[in-house]
Amino acid sequence: MKLNSAIRGLVACLLFVCSTCEASIAKVSPSSSKRTLIIYDKKITDLRAYSDYFENLAQLELDLEFVSVVNDTKDIELFDKGVKLYSNVVLFPLRSRKISKDVTAETLIRFSAAGGNVLAITSPQSSTEAVRTYLNELGIYPSPKGYQLSDHFQSRQDGTLQLDEKSIRSNEVISADGNALLYNGSAALLKNSELLFPVLRAPKTSFTKSSRDEGEWTTGTQGFLAAGFQSLKNARAAWVGSESFFSNAFYEVNAKAVMDITKWAFLEKGVIRSLGASHSHRDGSTYNEEPYKIKDDIIYTIGLSEWRDGSWKPFNSDDVQLEIKMIDPYYRVTLNPSNATEEVQFYTSGEIKLPDHHGVFSFITDYKRNGYSFVFEKDVKAIRHLANDEYPRSWEISNSWVYLTSIFAVGLSWMLFVFFYLTSRPKSLAMPEKKMQ
Amino acid sequence: MTSKTLKTRRNWSSKFSETFQASLQTYKKQIDGNSRLKLIDIFCGFLVAVGVIQFAFVCVLKDNFPFNAFLAGFICCVGQFVLTISLRMQVVKSFEGISKERAFGEFIVASLVLHFISLHFVN
Amino acid sequence: MIPGQIVACWIFLIAFVSGFSVKQAHVAFKGAIKKKPVAFTEPISPEFQKLSKLIVLDAIEDGLEVNFAIESTSLPERAILFLGSQELALDTHYLPQIKGRGQDQSYSFKVAAKEIPSALIYQATQKGESLVASLLLSSERAIDNIFIDLFDLKLGFDKPESLELPKRLGALPEIKHIFNAPPKTAPTVVAQFFSLLVATVSVGLVACWFTTGSVNFEGFPKGCPGGQFLAMMVSIVAMEYVFIKYYLGTSIFGTLWSALYVGLPGLWIGSKFLSNLK
């Protein structure tokens, strides 16, 4: 009972701390800057055909800047003296070989590495080498120019396919609502990579083929129509193989999926953060008050919240794990949800008995799931050995009784020996000595 | 078996018993009437017995936990035995420059130190 | 390769004429043991029902062929044989060899067991799932495009292989630290027995001292040395008492001080007594 109330006290304390620090930043979106560059090709993209999409983008309070690659007067730059200028870049299909003099595949990779988000849209007509190389770096291999996704089992004249719910491979990005999506474009092959995951998959009867009949780029479910990539630094890249997917013509059907992908790419969706992990003795006293020693019982707690629909909400999951590690993991336990506030879901390990090895241990929560931003919490603490007065005393161990009796027996008999020795008369003691002398 | 080997064997065993008898005689002569030597020898026998009992205990358990306590108990016996034998040597024939009484005083101090260490080590 | 492995035992069937008129559809086997080809008794059409009979490949060297002929007037643009596992949601596909001119074109899909992707082989041999072979025949704007499950394929051989799926992010297996077993302690009876043995030997020691006559109080110091002797004995006992107090929990510093208080006078009086003995 005592313990229970102690835990409750601890949790209440935590909640208080969390909610106070919460209040100040609660309404701030996880994407700090909203400067967004939209690169398009005037010759093939008429922005008016995407007005619905851009209207919705504006609702995300993004600071949109449009630039066409054919605009000779202004060169496109993503960096100014090494400083990233934009937080998001949207690449519409381009027909030119290059994006600009300064923006190459390497620039895009550097932009990603610097934390920039990229939404790359390709189409069967696009052929920009820089974008293709960049996508290949991520592990996305879009079909070459002229390859179109078709499906003989869907009789549509213009090559537009209907994608049913089975095509949606990532509920974290696009939450399926049972409605089919419309897609007219190309497909890509995806590399096996932990950081890359499919968002939309091609139907089984579909294929990607060029009109010039050079064999199929993808056959059936080999092909992917949209994919997401998140770097270890939580910079995101999304790829969609169709321009018309975003267009006004399909917008009525696709609006939700389109905005889901865009929000995801721009860190407005699937963003989780931790409210600091903490751990303590089971009675609530912290490490600083009483350093851990081997076999101590501790409780580990972490709070996670998710940015959803413009505010922080509790993040619910059943696979948040804690690792207690010293080179090798000694423990890897799945945390249980404990209590939740309006914004945070707390997870607790329950009581964990620390290992019977002393040393410097790391308490790690490494939560990496496709579609969510990665959470990494690490705390390094020393676990000490028992002090010399913390071992059980010898009389508590039955084995020692024999040795203890022996020591006392020797001590006692020695005292008697001394007494008897000094009181006995050495009768003939002098004799042999005299002889020897 | 050849007679030769029998002979040598008999020779050997008789030689051994002769030597043994002689040693026993000398020993008896040495302690005869010397109550202090008897006291010392019996005490030494006791220490050996206690040491053997402790060792037997470890053997029976096949486990020396708690090892420190075993060491303390066993070393207490061995140490006391060594000290007592040293005393006996000096009682029989005192070392040059060290009187028997001084030897006994040193024996007491050393034994006390040994007992303290044993109790400290047994935890 | 042994010639004549494919047993020419055609069962002629006129396929139901739909979008594509597929004829003579059958599965032929390649392998050491000769097996009769299995013909599809039902016409290949969108309404085709999967063969109730399992198709079995007995050895890793074996293979099979799915053969049929299509009238040249209605050739499909795509003809693909899929082989997949439903459990893994994974499939591979085969393209046909097309031969013949004139009225009929013969299509032949060759599936060699050893060329089946390892994930499917693992699933079929270790998990015992039958792989599903399905056929796709389609053309743009055709009315009756065919995409049907043909048969279930069982791999009758054993290829012990561990499946290494590509790494994906996700929860890792749980680990619980295994503690060292607490040290065993003897049953108290045994410990008590041995302690008693030591005590008995101690009593035996005293008894032995007395019976052998080693103990006589003839040399008991009298007079002034007697007092010194008693004082020395008392200080020895006191020292042992100090040690026992230390064992029971007195701090080392307290012990040092009391050892000093008891030991120094003891040493002084003891040495005095011993030098008097000479």
Side-chain angles (χ1 to χ4, degrees):
Chain A
M1 290 309 281
K2 228 178 197 178
L3 181 71
N4 246 342
S5 60
I7 295 170
R8 233 172 267 158
L10 164 77
V11 168
C13 193
L14 266 176
L15 284 185
F16 176 73
V17 172
C18 294
S19 53
T20 44
C21 64
E22 256 307 73
S24 53
I25 48 169
K27 292 290 170 271
V28 179
S29 153
S31 55
S32 47
S33 145
K34 304 245 182 174
R35 226 175 143 197
T36 303
L37 181 69
I38 297 166
I39 303 173
Y40 69 106
D41 190 338
K42 243 196 283 195
K43 283 181 196 160
I44 52 172
T45 306
D46 182 5
L47 288 183
R48 281 171 299 180
Y50 302 90
S51 56
D52 291 347
Y53 175 51
F54 296 132
E55 246 169 60
N56 268 359
L57 274 192
Q59 280 167 16
L60 292 177
E61 292 165 11
L62 297 172
D63 181 7
L64 300 179
E65 285 175 37
F66 294 88
V67 61
S68 169
V69 284
V70 236
N71 189 346
D72 293 347
T73 52
K74 192 186 156 201
D75 218 359
I76 305 165
E77 278 182 341
L78 299 181
F79 291 90
D80 181 23
K81 300 182 187 77
V83 178
K84 183 164 63 83
L85 289 172
Y86 305 93
S87 53
N88 310 315
V89 165
V90 182
L91 288 164
F92 269 85
L94 309 174
R95 200 180 281 164
S96 56
R97 275 193 65 77
K98 287 184 191 166
I99 301 173
S100 83
K101 201 175 68 201
D102 293 334
V103 181
T104 58
E106 197 216 344
T107 322
L108 287 171
I109 291 160
R110 204 145 51 85
F111 181 72
S112 266
N117 305 313
V118 177
L119 171 60
I121 304 164
T122 62
S123 78
Q125 285 77 44
S126 65
S127 63
T128 309
E129 203 54 42
V131 177
R132 179 173 297 277
T133 313
Y134 167 70
L135 290 174
N136 290 356
E137 280 294 318
L138 304 183
I140 303 167
Y141 299 90
S143 52
K145 191 178 183 182
Y147 278 68
Q148 169 84 29
L149 181 78
S150 324
D151 188 343
H152 290 158
F153 290 75
Q154 295 193 23
S155 50
R156 284 206 175 215
Q157 299 287 323
D158 58 350
T160 303
L161 303 191
Q162 258 194 332
L163 305 177
D164 59 7
E165 224 166 293
K166 270 190 282 179
S167 293
I168 298 172
R169 303 306 295 168
S170 170
N171 285 323
E172 290 75 28
V173 177
I174 301 179
S175 25
D177 54 2
N179 295 328
L181 302 173
L182 292 175
Y183 188 90
N184 184 349
S186 55
L189 297 165
L190 295 189
K191 193 171 123 181
N192 272 325
S193 156
E194 284 186 306
L195 304 177
L196 178 71
F197 62 97
V199 175
L200 286 175
R201 192 172 72 177
K204 197 166 181 183
T205 50
S206 70
F207 59 100
T208 321
K209 207 170 181 182
S210 157
S211 52
R212 276 171 293 162
D213 204 23
E214 290 167 17
E216 295 176 355
W217 182 258
T218 71
T219 300
T221 50
Q222 263 185 339
F224 294 95
L225 314 178
F229 177 93
Q230 182 173 269
S231 75
L232 292 171
K233 285 180 178 172
N234 286 339
R236 286 178 175 175
W239 163 83
V240 180
S242 163
E243 187 183 20
S244 52
F245 190 69
F246 295 80
S247 70
N248 293 350
F250 294 169
Y251 207 70
E252 209 178 318
V253 184
N254 290 353
K256 199 181 153 294
V258 164
M259 283 318 288
D260 276 348
I261 291 176
T262 312
K263 278 183 185 170
W264 184 84
F266 295 169
L267 284 170
E268 294 279 345
K269 189 177 197 280
V271 175
I272 45 177
R273 66 165 185 195
S274 105
L275 278 120
S278 71
H279 47 87
S280 64
H281 288 277
R282 68 172 178 192
D283 62 2
S285 51
T286 62
Y287 182 87
N288 291 336
E289 288 162 13
E290 195 192 336
Y292 298 151
K293 63 172 186 290
I294 59 167
K295 291 187 184 174
D296 268 359
D297 286 309
I298 62 144
I299 296 170
Y300 180 90
T301 317
I302 187 168
L304 296 176
S305 47
E306 179 188 10
W307 180 259
R308 209 187 315 131
D309 306 325
S311 63
W312 290 106
K313 308 249 164 66
F315 177 71
N316 295 305
S317 168
D318 58 358
D319 59 357
V320 184
Q321 291 184 319
L322 159 73
E323 272 188 354
I324 299 178
K325 230 171 162 177
M326 182 168 66
I327 303 172
D328 292 319
Y330 281 65
Y331 273 107
R332 191 189 290 130
V333 289
T334 305
L335 303 178
N336 297 314
S338 52
N339 55 316
T341 64
E342 268 176 38
E343 285 165 356
V344 193
Q345 172 69 52
F346 286 94
Y347 294 88
T348 177
S349 63
E351 276 177 29
I352 287 186
K353 197 179 263 308
L354 289 176
D356 49 359
H357 287 204
H358 62 288
V360 178
F361 280 83
S362 306
F363 296 76
I364 300 172
T365 293
D366 187 4
Y367 191 74
K368 288 195 176 74
R369 301 292 179 269
N370 282 329
Y372 290 111
S373 52
F374 300 153
V375 172
F376 185 76
E377 288 283 353
K378 180 178 178 181
D379 192 20
V380 180
K381 287 280 178 280
I383 297 177
R384 69 170 170 86
H385 208 282
L386 289 182
N388 67 345
D389 58 353
E390 284 167 341
Y391 286 94
R393 292 304 302 269
S394 50
W395 62 76
E396 295 164 27
I397 305 163
S398 60
N399 289 15
S400 317
W401 295 347
V402 178
Y403 314 128
L404 270 179
T405 322
S406 305
I407 292 172
F408 286 123
V410 169
L412 208 67
S413 50
W414 174 78
M415 283 191 282
L416 281 175
F417 170 77
V418 171
F419 182 75
F420 291 149
Y421 184 91
L422 289 175
T423 51
S424 77
R425 170 160 298 173
K427 276 183 208 159
S428 55
L429 193 65
M431 278 226 328
E433 226 174 355
K434 265 178 193 166
K435 264 185 200 165
M436 281 168 196
Q437 284 166 356
Chain B
M1 238 182 262
T2 58
S3 59
K4 202 182 173 187
T5 49
L6 264 178
K7 209 176 170 185
T8 40
R9 178 161 288 197
R10 204 173 295 136
N11 269 351
W12 182 82
S13 67
S14 68
K15 252 185 197 166
F16 176 76
S17 69
E18 264 172 39
T19 323
F20 184 73
Q21 287 299 325
S23 315
L24 205 64
Q25 286 300 319
T26 324
Y27 175 70
K28 271 186 181 161
K29 219 166 114 191
Q30 190 187 39
I31 63 162
D32 186 37
N34 190 339
S35 58
R36 281 186 173 175
L37 279 187
K38 271 191 210 165
L39 210 56
I40 288 175
D41 288 349
I42 294 167
F43 188 50
C44 284
F46 159 77
L47 290 170
V48 169
V50 173
V52 166
I53 290 172
Q54 290 178 77
F55 190 73
F57 180 63
V58 168
C59 290
V60 167
L61 294 190
K62 290 176 190 154
D63 180 23
N64 56 20
F65 172 80
F67 193 51
N68 61 305
F70 166 67
L71 279 185
F74 197 70
I75 284 175
C76 185
C77 288
V78 173
Q80 192 64 67
F81 182 81
V82 169
L83 289 175
T84 314
I85 291 294
S86 311
L87 176 70
R88 190 182 193 278
M89 284 162 75
Q90 298 194 55
V91 166
V92 173
K93 182 181 179 290
S94 56
F95 295 167
E96 215 171 299
I98 298 169
S99 69
K100 284 174 186 160
E101 287 69 30
R102 187 176 157 200
F104 193 72
E106 283 170 357
F107 168 74
I108 290 175
V109 174
S111 298
L112 282 173
V113 171
L114 177 72
H115 296 164
F116 175 73
I117 289 171
S118 298
L119 278 174
H120 173 79
F121 205 63
V122 80
N123 180 30
Chain C
M1 281 290 182
I2 306 157
Q5 276 171 340
I6 310 163
V7 183
C9 178
W10 309 94
I11 299 170
F12 287 92
L13 277 163
I14 306 299
F16 185 75
V17 180
S18 63
F20 316 103
S21 59
V22 181
K23 304 177 207 169
Q24 303 158 5
H26 67 276
V27 183
F29 296 96
K30 275 182 127 177
I33 305 163
K34 287 179 182 177
K35 269 197 194 174
K36 279 190 176 178
V38 176
F40 298 109
T41 46
E42 225 183 307
I44 302 292
S45 72
E47 285 81 38
F48 181 85
Q49 291 294 309
K50 189 161 73 178
L51 268 191
S52 52
K53 193 183 164 190
L54 264 182
I55 302 285
V56 186
L57 284 180
D58 297 310
I60 185 88
E61 294 81 20
D62 287 4
L64 60 81
E65 287 185 8
V66 176
N67 299 323
F68 52 81
I70 303 182
E71 267 180 31
S72 298
T73 49
S74 66
L75 290 180
E77 282 171 36
R78 299 181 81 213
I80 290 172
L81 180 77
F82 289 98
L83 188 63
S85 146
Q86 277 173 343
E87 219 175 286
L88 287 179
L90 195 70
D91 53 45
T92 182
H93 63 269
Y94 297 88
L95 296 176
Q97 268 188 353
I98 306 169
K99 275 185 201 158
R101 285 190 199 120
Q103 210 192 345
D104 288 344
Q105 298 253 354
S106 76
Y107 282 66
S108 175
F109 297 93
K110 290 189 167 65
V111 179
K114 61 182 166 201
E115 278 161 23
I116 296 173
S118 58
L120 293 179
I121 290 196
Y122 176 83
Q123 187 69 14
T125 57
Q126 306 301 311
K127 295 282 169 77
E129 191 197 345
S130 305
L131 305 177
V132 181
S134 22
L135 179 70
L136 184 142
L137 298 173
S138 70
S139 285
E140 212 172 344
R141 304 209 184 101
I143 316 141
D144 281 332
N145 280 334
I146 293 173
F147 184 46
I148 48 171
D149 287 349
L150 282 183
F151 55 83
D152 285 337
L153 176 68
K154 194 185 161 201
L155 301 184
F157 52 88
D158 193 39
K159 195 180 176 212
E161 208 177 326
S162 63
L163 176 62
E164 268 191 40
L165 289 173
K167 267 190 174 179
R168 292 283 180 256
L169 299 177
L172 296 166
E174 291 209 336
I175 295 172
K176 288 255 153 46
H177 179 61
I178 298 161
F179 287 85
N180 289 324
K184 286 172 288 171
T185 50
T188 47
V189 187
V190 179
Q192 279 167 343
F193 171 75
F194 275 87
S195 306
L196 214 66
L197 209 62
V198 172
T200 318
V201 171
S202 314
V203 174
L205 164 77
V206 178
C208 210
W209 269 340
F210 277 101
T211 49
T212 51
S214 346
V215 180
N216 55 47
F217 296 105
E218 287 163 23
F220 200 97
K222 290 175 187 86
C224 180
Q228 287 171 342
F229 169 66
L230 280 182
M232 190 184 84
M233 281 316 293
V234 166
S235 70
I236 286 175
V237 173
M239 279 302 271
E240 295 280 357
Y241 176 72
V242 168
F243 297 163
I244 289 169
K245 288 291 276 187
Y246 170 70
Y247 170 70
L248 292 175
T250 312
S251 84
I252 185 71
F253 300 106
T255 307
L256 279 177
W257 282 117
S258 22
L260 209 66
Y261 295 145
V262 177
L264 279 185
L267 202 65
W268 176 70
I269 202 113
S271 51
K272 207 157 193 193
F273 164 69
L274 286 174
S275 49
N276 274 350
L277 276 186
K278 279 181 190 172

